[in-house]
Amino acid sequence: MSSVRDVRTTPRTGVDTDLEASAVKALQLSRLRPTEARAIGAAILEPARRSGAWQVVSMAERALGVAAMNLGQIEAALTHLRASVAAGRRARSRHRVAQARMSLAAALVVRGQSGQALREMEAVLPDLEGVEAARARVQRAAILQELGRDDAALDEVRRALPVLRQAGDAEWAARALSNRSLIQTSRRAFAAAEADLVDALRLCVEHDLDLLGAFAEQNLGCVKAKRGDVPASLRHFDAADERYRRFGLVEASLLVDRAEVLLSVRLLDEARTIAEAAVAAYRNQQREVRLPEAQLLLSTVALVQGDAATACDSATAAIQGLHRLGRTNLLALARFARLQAQVAADPTGTSAERAARVAEALEAAKWKVPALEARVLAGRIALDQGRRSAARRHLSMASRARHSGPADARVRAWLAEALLRRADGRKAAALSALRAGLRIVEDYQATLGATELRAHVSLQRGSLARLGLRMAIEDQDPRRVIWWAERARASALRLRPAQPPEHPELAGNLADLRSTMAEIEEARGAGRADDALVAHQVLLERRIRDCCRTLQAGESAERRPLRHSVADLTGPLGDAALVEYVELEGDLHAVTVAGGRARLHFLGRAQTVRQVLTHVPFALHRLVKPRAASTGREAAATAVLQRAATAFDDLLLRPLRHEVGDRPLVVVPTGALQSLPWSVLASCHGRPVSVNPSATMWHQAVSRPRPPDDAPVVVVAGPGLPGATIEASTIAALYPGSVLLSEEVATAPTLLARMNGAAVLHLAAHGNVRSDNPLFSSLTLADGPLTVYELERLAQAPHHVVLAACDTGRPHIVAGEELLGFGAALLGGGTATLVAPVVPVPDAATVSLMRSYHEKLRAGHPPSEALAAAQAGFDAEDPAGWAAAAAFVCLGAG
């Protein structure tokens, strides 16, 4: 191919040389520092036009177009790039025209016109050679990727890379490597993808290519996510986000990638917020080619949240966009999303054949996990319709993936195998398949360092546990019911959070957050504006949350799942009775274990529990904080509470009285019942009751060794609560040699140091429970809030904890049966027993209860017995005192 020479239409002048140098600089900066490039290009454009320097005009317009594209202004980019083509033609420079058309092709891809973009590239390639031709091949490869022609794209990169490396063109070599990694990832060649991205990042660091480095970091995050390494994925996304922010960019594709990872561990609210932001960003940037991907993701998140209408609407919009763009590989996925939404809205309105056709389309497009889901769906529909032969065909096809591939694929395949074996009447084999699927989920959960991630990822095993539970209830086998119920319950708490030996950044952010929130309270008290402080609080909370999510779990035994038999779990009961409540398909059941005998009981509809439960905290709160001259309101609250208590007693305990008698109770509630103050039930009045997230957690708690004799007793009074100071002084006086922290001494660092490994911690302070992020729930100390995140960093949690602080016994329930909050952090971290209220209580109302409780502890009574006896000392003649006492529950060993 002959060399292409530029034809100049004007003689060289000093001015033109200066303008050309500026245009070259603008082009160099257009991808890396687009805002700066735009300023330079705009400044030279008119002088170049006036002097007739059309080559310079072409370069300036191209720089402006590329800069606009990198700033998300696609229509402006198209305008500038078409002007660049026109100026190159006026300059009669085939080289400038070819370069401008290359950039125009890139913009057309972003605009969703991939076919036209490919035609542009095919037109310019004959006019280029050497490095310029290699760059064009990299760009053509990216367009071919968009069109699903991966083999052709790989061939273009293979031809271009050696030329770029030999020429020392680091920028375009990094682009080629990063693009190729996406194809390798889609083909599950993860090692090759990572090698390409590590090479690309090296080039970016060596040659100061920050923006390209951001893309490479983002792609590395995607590779890690595909391999199931969520913490590493989030770390790379954070690094990419930091690079994008330096350029003032909102990269919508990063929002999509992050939302997908959050969805994979079922952080649904965050995933939805980010998916919605991605849809908005693509629309604002007019990037039609990417918009359907964000709409498809939003459909999936909405479906998991139970919002079938939004899921169907978003999937339909994605189908329309993908069809218009001719993106057939994603079209199959969007049609499956719409099918799932329609099934969720009307389970009987879809045929197994339709689900099977969707599965075939997904398989053809190489969507392995969705194809498995579609096959399982087809099998289940066929089973529901009594068509066993069709069901076997679909389920057997899905079950083939159970021995290899990613964890999420193997879990779904084992579910298909379990359904298949059950349909064939092989119950034992079906249960074995379910257990195999559970092991995959639990082993994956053990690799995550953050409690939050572990809790949410557990939702993935819900289908497995529910099927096992259904089979156990059908067989009326109470011990199997317990075993399967335990598989779905609070498993995240069995594993201690990752404990980095030192993490200065995390410690600094936690300290900064504490002082910032203290400043917010001070500003509000003084009537000053707090907008900047609140913004800083939000930023710090995001940094803390993201940092903890990126921690890897260690390999110590205490972080591995515990798999006890039911006999092991119930062995330490002694004369107590275990009552484990189970909800399945709207029905409430209970399993009792007492005197070595297990029984299964059907109690009624679970909806009744939820309806009645709404009245209990309202009534208790009304009684705890009576208003002046409000005798009528007090009487009404008492009546409401009595009716609710009677209804609960009739539903939850009276049907079990023959089995449990008057034994002490170890209660494992369903999610809705975790916040029930059990002492208000007549059957629990004066009876020791310990409440637990799961029987496994109770077994862990009772198995914890007693603290050494010299372990300290620490008593703390938070600020702003006069009753807390009185309470703390009273309790400290009961324990000679105890450590009393109050007023300015009661700071978070001091408390954390003192409570580490304490025998008893009694903390009377104001509590703030955060439903938006339970791990930022806090206890107010002299220097600000102590958060759950900080409790999770303790090397050894106190053995026995009393939190006389509002709501601190009430957990936040996620993923069905997983718990987050103060109690979860302490019990998961090593605390054997926790006593705390499940509704807000005034500080002054708890002094006598807490004194009585600790006196009985000192006399040798177990915690649940001491609390029951202390609560029994209050009667209806003192409604406020009785209600405050009733608000407390005993969690853990008891």
Side-chain angles (χ1 to χ4, degrees):
M1 184 182 296
S2 61
S3 176
V4 177
R5 302 181 63 84
D6 291 343
V7 180
R8 299 187 177 90
T9 58
T10 55
R12 283 289 217 168
T13 68
V15 174
D16 289 350
T17 302
D18 291 342
L19 291 174
E20 186 172 349
S22 296
V24 169
K25 183 177 181 181
L27 274 171
Q28 291 171 341
L29 295 173
S30 60
R31 294 182 182 89
L32 307 178
R33 295 200 287 275
T35 303
E36 187 177 341
R38 186 167 57 181
I40 296 171
I44 64 174
L45 194 57
E46 285 308 313
R49 286 184 188 278
R50 287 195 301 269
S51 65
W54 294 109
Q55 285 199 75
V56 175
V57 172
S58 183
M59 286 191 291
E61 290 281 17
R62 183 174 169 226
L64 289 169
V66 174
M69 188 162 44
N70 282 293
L71 291 170
Q73 300 162 356
I74 188 61
E75 293 301 326
L78 289 169
T79 300
H80 285 299
L81 292 170
R82 285 174 178 139
S84 177
V85 173
R89 285 174 176 152
R90 291 192 69 171
R92 290 186 292 171
S93 170
R94 293 169 61 193
H95 181 64
R96 296 297 174 208
V97 170
Q99 288 185 318
R101 292 182 79 175
M102 278 179 59
S103 298
L104 177 61
L108 288 168
V109 169
V110 175
R111 189 69 176 84
Q113 297 169 281
S114 298
Q116 184 178 340
L118 189 59
R119 288 190 292 274
E120 291 283 347
M121 293 306 303
E122 289 169 347
V124 304
L125 266 170
D127 291 334
L128 299 172
E129 63 180 18
V131 172
E132 290 293 344
R135 290 176 176 178
R137 291 192 182 283
V138 171
Q139 193 154 309
R140 186 171 185 270
I143 298 169
L144 290 167
Q145 281 179 254
E146 290 291 336
L147 295 171
R149 296 167 58 183
D150 288 351
D151 289 336
L154 282 174
D155 186 59
E156 292 285 24
V157 174
R158 179 186 58 79
R159 296 172 65 183
L161 257 177
V163 178
L164 296 169
R165 288 186 188 278
Q166 186 175 4
D169 192 337
E171 178 184 346
W172 280 89
R175 287 176 182 276
L177 290 165
S178 192
N179 288 346
R180 186 169 69 181
S181 75
L182 296 177
I183 301 176
Q184 306 283 25
T185 301
S186 70
R187 297 183 170 189
R188 308 198 66 78
F190 296 128
E194 284 196 40
D196 276 350
L197 289 168
V198 169
D199 197 4
L201 270 175
R202 178 186 59 78
L203 290 171
C204 291
V205 171
E206 290 176 357
H207 297 273
D208 196 25
L209 305 172
D210 272 358
L211 191 54
L212 275 178
F215 291 122
E217 287 281 12
Q218 181 180 341
N219 288 349
L220 260 175
C222 293
V223 174
K224 294 294 186 182
K226 294 288 186 184
R227 303 190 85 163
D229 191 346
V230 172
S233 171
L234 293 173
R235 282 198 299 273
H236 286 297
F237 288 159
D238 287 343
D241 187 48
E242 183 179 344
R243 289 174 182 259
Y244 287 132
R245 287 175 183 273
R246 293 175 196 165
F247 296 95
L249 296 179
V250 175
E251 180 50 50
S253 65
L254 179 61
L255 295 174
V256 169
D257 292 340
R258 188 186 291 274
E260 286 178 342
V261 172
L262 294 175
L263 172 63
S264 74
V265 290
R266 293 310 192 261
L267 289 163
L268 300 180
D269 291 342
E270 280 186 69
R272 179 153 182 173
T273 298
I274 295 173
E276 289 172 341
V279 170
Y282 279 137
R283 280 181 175 148
N284 291 340
Q285 297 167 8
Q286 298 179 326
R287 295 173 69 179
E288 299 297 324
V289 72
R290 295 295 186 188
L291 176 59
E293 294 178 35
Q295 291 169 326
L296 179 55
L297 176 61
L298 178 57
S299 171
T300 304
V301 177
L303 180 66
V304 179
Q305 287 182 313
D307 185 357
T310 298
C312 192
D313 290 345
S314 294
T316 300
I319 289 170
Q320 293 168 350
L322 292 167
H323 184 75
R324 185 171 59 251
L325 295 168
R327 300 183 67 186
T328 55
N329 60 329
L330 278 179
L331 198 55
L333 204 58
R335 285 173 175 154
F336 179 47
R338 184 170 64 181
L339 172 66
Q340 289 178 300
Q342 290 168 342
V343 170
D346 179 12
T348 63
T350 300
S351 67
E353 287 71 23
R354 182 184 171 202
R357 287 194 299 272
V358 169
E360 290 166 1
L362 289 164
E363 288 161 358
K366 299 180 181 179
W367 294 107
K368 184 174 182 178
V369 174
L372 282 171
E373 288 191 47
R375 284 289 177 196
V376 174
L377 177 61
R380 283 186 142 163
I381 292 171
L383 281 176
D384 291 342
Q385 295 171 347
R387 299 167 55 209
R388 293 185 179 275
S389 177
R392 287 190 187 95
R393 184 173 66 256
H394 298 309
L395 294 172
S396 63
M397 292 177 71
S399 70
R400 294 170 189 165
R402 62 190 186 276
H403 294 303
S404 63
D408 49 359
R410 286 180 285 132
V411 168
R412 288 163 172 83
W414 277 113
L415 175 60
E417 180 68 12
L419 289 166
L420 181 63
R421 294 175 182 181
R422 183 173 183 245
D424 288 339
R426 297 185 293 146
K427 288 186 177 180
L431 293 172
S432 177
L434 292 174
R435 286 192 289 270
L438 284 175
R439 284 193 294 272
I440 294 170
V441 177
E442 290 179 344
D443 289 344
Y444 172 55
Q445 191 179 41
T447 67
L448 300 173
T451 302
E452 182 185 26
L453 294 184
R454 289 173 180 162
H456 286 83
V457 80
S458 65
L459 190 65
Q460 294 180 357
R461 68 175 184 278
S463 297
L464 297 163
R466 281 194 299 274
L467 180 56
L469 190 58
R470 183 182 300 114
M471 294 173 67
I473 289 175
E474 288 172 354
D475 292 344
Q476 291 292 291
D477 187 332
R479 292 185 180 274
R480 273 178 45 211
V481 169
I482 290 179
W483 195 93
W484 284 104
E486 286 295 300
R487 309 281 57 81
R489 281 201 158 117
S491 62
L493 302 185
R494 304 178 206 155
L495 308 165
R496 289 209 64 186
Q499 299 285 321
E502 289 186 20
H503 205 300
E505 181 185 355
L506 177 60
N509 284 333
L510 286 166
D512 194 358
L513 176 64
R514 186 161 44 250
S515 62
T516 298
M517 293 181 71
E519 289 180 49
I520 289 172
E521 290 301 315
E522 182 181 343
R524 289 175 178 173
R528 299 194 306 270
D530 63 356
D531 294 355
L533 290 170
V534 170
H536 189 52
Q537 175 193 344
V538 171
L539 175 63
L540 288 170
E541 288 184 355
R542 184 181 67 81
R543 287 176 178 170
I544 292 165
R545 180 202 65 197
D546 291 349
C547 178
C548 289
R549 286 179 182 173
T550 60
L551 297 175
Q552 294 283 161
E555 293 298 324
S556 63
E558 67 176 340
R559 290 183 190 162
R560 293 200 174 278
L562 301 178
R563 300 185 178 109
H564 295 293
S565 69
V566 174
D568 290 337
L569 290 178
T570 57
L573 278 173
D575 65 347
L578 170 71
V579 181
E580 180 148 358
Y581 293 95
V582 176
E583 182 180 339
L584 180 68
E585 296 175 350
D587 289 334
L588 187 65
H589 307 263
V591 178
T592 57
V593 180
R597 186 172 65 177
R599 290 288 184 271
L600 176 63
H601 312 260
F602 171 72
L603 301 179
R605 297 296 291 173
Q607 183 62 27
T608 305
V609 170
R610 286 186 281 272
Q611 289 172 345
V612 177
L613 189 61
T614 59
H615 302 296
V616 175
F618 165 79
L620 273 179
H621 190 57
R622 177 69 59 83
L623 290 172
V624 165
K625 287 190 172 182
R627 298 180 182 179
S630 59
T631 305
R633 293 162 61 90
E634 191 175 289
T638 301
V640 168
L641 187 60
Q642 287 175 343
R643 285 195 299 271
T646 300
F648 276 127
D649 213 22
D650 290 343
L651 177 63
L652 300 177
L653 286 177
R654 291 192 188 281
L656 316 178
R657 61 184 179 274
H658 180 70
E659 297 297 328
V660 303
D662 59 357
R663 298 168 181 265
L665 296 182
V666 176
V667 176
V668 179
T670 61
L673 292 172
Q674 290 288 344
S675 297
L676 178 65
W678 290 83
S679 68
V680 303
L681 279 62
S683 297
C684 293
H685 183 70
R687 184 202 296 253
V689 178
S690 61
V691 182
N692 283 271
S694 69
T696 306
M697 286 299 300
W698 173 77
H699 183 274
Q700 269 194 349
V702 297
S703 302
R704 298 197 191 284
R706 295 188 59 80
D709 293 338
D710 60 349
V713 173
V714 180
V715 186
V716 184
L721 299 173
T725 303
I726 299 170
E727 179 179 317
S729 300
T730 302
I731 303 308
L734 297 175
Y735 294 91
S738 62
V739 176
L740 175 62
L741 303 176
S742 63
E743 299 180 355
E744 68 275 2
V745 180
T747 64
T750 302
L751 172 57
L752 289 168
R754 293 286 192 172
M755 72 189 287
N756 203 38
V760 177
L761 169 69
H762 183 105
L763 204 158
H766 176 68
N768 176 33
V769 176
R770 290 270 298 271
S771 60
D772 61 323
N773 190 329
L775 299 185
F776 283 114
S777 297
S778 60
L779 298 165
T780 302
L781 299 175
D783 59 339
L786 175 75
T787 67
V788 175
Y789 275 115
E790 291 171 285
L791 293 181
E792 288 197 332
R793 307 269 71 76
L794 286 172
Q796 185 179 359
H799 185 77
H800 185 139
V801 177
V802 180
L803 292 180
C806 295
D807 276 345
T808 48
R810 176 168 58 88
H812 184 76
I813 303 164
V814 299
E817 296 287 346
E818 294 284 8
L819 310 180
L820 296 175
F822 285 106
L826 288 165
L827 292 174
T831 293
T833 300
L834 168 67
V835 172
V838 292
V839 297
V841 290
D843 58 305
T846 64
V847 176
S848 57
L849 172 73
M850 291 292 97
R851 180 176 60 243
S852 176
Y853 172 70
H854 281 280
E855 286 174 346
K856 290 174 172 56
L857 276 184
R858 296 280 291 156
H861 294 278
S864 61
E865 184 180 313
L867 180 62
Q871 289 171 324
F874 293 84
D875 55 40
E877 294 182 5
D878 176 16
W882 175 85
F888 281 79
V889 295
C890 180
L891 303 164

